[in-house]
Amino acid sequence: MTTTTYRQAMREALRDALRRDERVFLMGEDVGRYGGCYAVSLGLLEEFGPQRIIDTPLSESAFVGAGIGAALGGMRPIVEIMTVNFSLLALDQIVNNAATLRHMSGGQFNVPLVIRMTTGAGRQLAAQHSHSLEGWYAHVPGLRILAPATVQDARGMLWPALCDPDPVLVFEHGLLYNAEGELAADAPVVDLTTAAVRRPGTDVTLLAYGGTLRTALAAADDLAGEGTSAEVLDLRSLRPLDTATIVASVQHTHRAVVVDEGWRSGSLSAEVSARITEEAFYDLDAPVARVCAAEVPVPYAKHLEEAALPSPGAVVEAVHHMAA
Amino acid sequence: MAEISQRVGGNGARSTEPGTVAHWGQRRGTLHDADGLIAGPGDPSAGGPRPGDPCIDGGTQGPEVGAGGLGAGTGSNAALRGVDQPLRVLSPDGSPTGASDPPYPALLGPEQHRQMLTDMILTRRVDAELVDLQRQGQLALYASCLGQEAAQVGVAAAMRAQDWLFPQYRELGMLVARGVDPVGVAMMWRGAYHGGRGLLERHTSPICIVVGANALHAAGFALGVRLDAADEVVVASIGDGALSEGDVHEALNMAAVYEVPCLFVVQNNQWAISVPGRVQTKSATLAHKAVAYGIPGIRCDGNDVLATYSVASDALRWIRAGGGPVLLELLTYRRGAHTTADDPTRYRGDAELERWAALDPIDRYRRHLVAEGIWGEEEERRAASVADEAAAHVRAEVCDAADPSATGLFDLVFTRPTKELERQRAQLERELARRRS
């Protein structure tokens, strides 16, 4: 086991994929000489050359669309979009094209494309660089949506994502890049279809993903100090959702709090809550609770941004409220 | 995890075995070593199109073509041709313009001429049949290509079998000339089969419905072709309306920056539903836009199949030689409605239609081939018979073709079925069973 950062783990995953298969290439803004705006691809240009680590014009639609075209031809492109906000410039390519071409071609073509992007707030990057729009993408049939929250998932999700014959979107929360964790040299490939119990518990299930996993784990620590045993579930795959694992946990704890950095209305947290209601209603001892981002554009000022985001304290309070 | 190395579904022409794809740098070297093709846009001397290719109405062309063919000069000083007068081999009356000798590439033998004209006649006949089938309720919708047969057949005839076509939805002529069974196209419009059947075998992408999106996909596909050093050129077929889409700008810009082997063919049929060309752009011609991308731009009479064939052949040769993308504007006219859901009498008059009917591409080519002694009554009878048979075949296959299974609805969302979709499929099956009982 070695200690590594989320960033290094993701870079190692990229390196591994580029070594394993010549059809894999990485393209996006600043991924080459600059090493990526979050330094994920640092050093890869030197190792793999400009034909496989490709700096692009500032044209999100073009490089996502080109990724689709290359994938149609049997390549295995990895497209990096700097932030989820910028992915909106490629929304037509992602939603109207990548997600539909298998369907629209009667199964003649599929799109084995991986799109990575940074998501989330907490770095004072203001409203146009900080949003969490994973829930939007998780709404769309034809896409697989992943949210690696740990070093192990950062290392282990990319290869199976590349092996998926359909498009996969990988959301990397910006606050996680410096997070450290233990990684085995022969870390196993991650199963992309299942949620993971990150902390077992008996009294309440905290459901989180990506950046909010840390929030939920911190809240679970605080709750443990009060004698409340919280189970923390990492959704990991936002589409498809692992409903079975979610329901099994809630049947066991009888309470659920969904922690989501997305906005509350029409959100992924609403979907998770609805599934619990549909499938475990009679196991619940209290209504499902949600802790989400405030429904405002993510503010720039640090104290305002902190106030807008889900905090461990808010999760603890939600648990108190449902026990009352 | 050998899985990634297996080709999935119908995808592409890439190699299927791990380790069989050499490193791109090596492959590139191999290509150049083998062919001696180092030519980029700025160095057309080693394999690019030849000067004075005999396809051009030299007397009316715009800027000097120069010694290097398409991209003469430097990469940043791309050549423009045909912007004063579209390049033309045949006058509207079918006579050679006389500016070049012979008036079309000598490569075309009598059989190829007959094939092209037959393809154009067949396209028009099947196109009319599909409009009729829509009117009779057999198709939900159809987009006619009436009047654009020369542009479409000319480009497709210039392509090789291994080249890839990324068509839009008005490309029956291109598909027919590529050898796609028109029944496969009709089945798409019927809703019996998504995307058109039988395309992949003819190196043709799914029929693109999102205007301009295929330009991006073609550029990306071409990037893959270059990474593989495959001997293929990718042709994106778009229209004058699509050229106003931001996506097409991004595609042209990126394709030019990466110098990928991609030909952008713009059929300027002058109408985007009800919006005329003058509302699309302030540019003098669509070919002018190539200047900004640093690639060759050519404007050609798209109702002249020989000019189209010749110019497209030049462009493809240039691209194969490593010259990078080319923007080819084919001036033509959409004589039918945008689709069967459209009524063009609401926005354009008869005079314009009559003017363009007089420039009919099939009549023009037929007159020429008759004058050349390549086409006569027997050929006309044979072509009409081929076209009628194709139309009858389409009608027989399409009329009352069985609807695909309703539960097949879920088959093509993901390659690997998800639990949620399986649940929804089971729910639909129960619902259908209830309705039947």
Side-chain angles (χ1 to χ4, degrees), chain A residues 20-25 27 48-49 51-52 54-76 89 92-93 96-112 140-144 159-160 162-167 189 239-240 242-244 275 279, chain B residues 1 3-16 18 21-25 27-28 164 166 193-201 204-210 212-213 216-228 247 250-251 253-254 257-258 409 411-416 418-421 423:
Chain A
R20 278 202 206 190
D21 194 308
E22 286 283 350
R23 294 170 304 170
V24 173
F25 65 93
M27 70 193 303
F48 296 100
Q51 290 81 22
R52 298 184 70 201
I54 305 174
D55 277 323
T56 65
L58 301 196
S59 305
E60 281 77 5
S61 197
F63 59 76
V64 172
I68 292 169
L72 288 174
M75 306 299 280
R76 292 295 183 277
L89 293 163
D92 184 66
Q93 285 304 310
N96 264 340
N97 288 279
T100 64
L101 281 174
R102 177 172 160 74
H103 171 87
M104 290 299 286
S105 69
Q108 291 174 94
F109 290 86
N110 52 302
V111 183
V140 180
L143 301 178
R144 182 187 292 282
W159 182 252
L162 282 164
C163 294
D164 193 317
D166 301 318
V189 162
R239 186 183 190 95
D242 178 8
T243 312
R275 291 198 185 200
E279 302 204 17
Chain B
M1 273 297 171
E3 189 174 359
I4 192 172
S5 298
Q6 293 165 6
R7 198 158 79 181
V8 179
N11 271 43
R14 306 287 85 78
S15 71
T16 56
V21 182
H23 190 277
W24 188 75
R27 292 197 300 270
R28 188 182 189 207
W164 283 84
F166 279 67
Y193 194 94
H194 282 161
R197 198 168 62 199
L199 301 173
L200 181 65
E201 303 88 302
T204 300
S205 84
I207 292 168
C208 181
I209 305 298
V210 178
L216 291 171
H217 304 158
F221 196 104
L223 181 64
V225 165
R226 208 189 60 172
L227 289 169
D228 261 3
D247 275 358
E250 290 194 15
N253 183 58
M254 184 184 231
V257 166
Y258 294 150
L409 177 65
D411 289 346
L412 299 174
V413 185
F414 291 105
T415 309
R416 300 168 181 163
T418 63
K419 285 179 191 160
E420 179 60 26
L421 282 182
R423 190 188 65 73

Side-chain angles (χ1 to χ4, degrees), chain A residues 7-93:
Chain A
R7 172 184 292 110
Q8 287 166 336
M10 188 58 75
R11 185 185 305 144
E12 201 46 47
L14 287 167
R15 181 178 282 127
D16 178 43
L18 285 156
R19 281 180 181 160
R20 278 202 206 190
D21 194 308
E22 286 283 350
R23 294 170 304 170
V24 173
F25 65 93
L26 173 70
M27 70 193 303
E29 290 156 348
D30 302 298
V31 299
R33 206 170 144 214
Y34 195 56
C37 277
Y38 293 91
V40 172
S41 55
L42 206 62
L44 297 183
L45 173 66
E46 290 73 12
E47 186 172 348
F48 296 100
Q51 290 81 22
R52 298 184 70 201
I53 308 295
I54 305 174
D55 277 323
T56 65
L58 301 196
S59 305
E60 281 77 5
S61 197
F63 59 76
V64 172
I68 292 169
L72 288 174
M75 306 299 280
R76 292 295 183 277
I78 303 169
V79 168
E80 177 177 311
I81 303 178
M82 203 184 294
T83 81
V84 65
N85 294 72
F86 302 176
S87 76
L88 303 184
L89 293 163
L91 207 52
D92 184 66
Q93 285 304 310

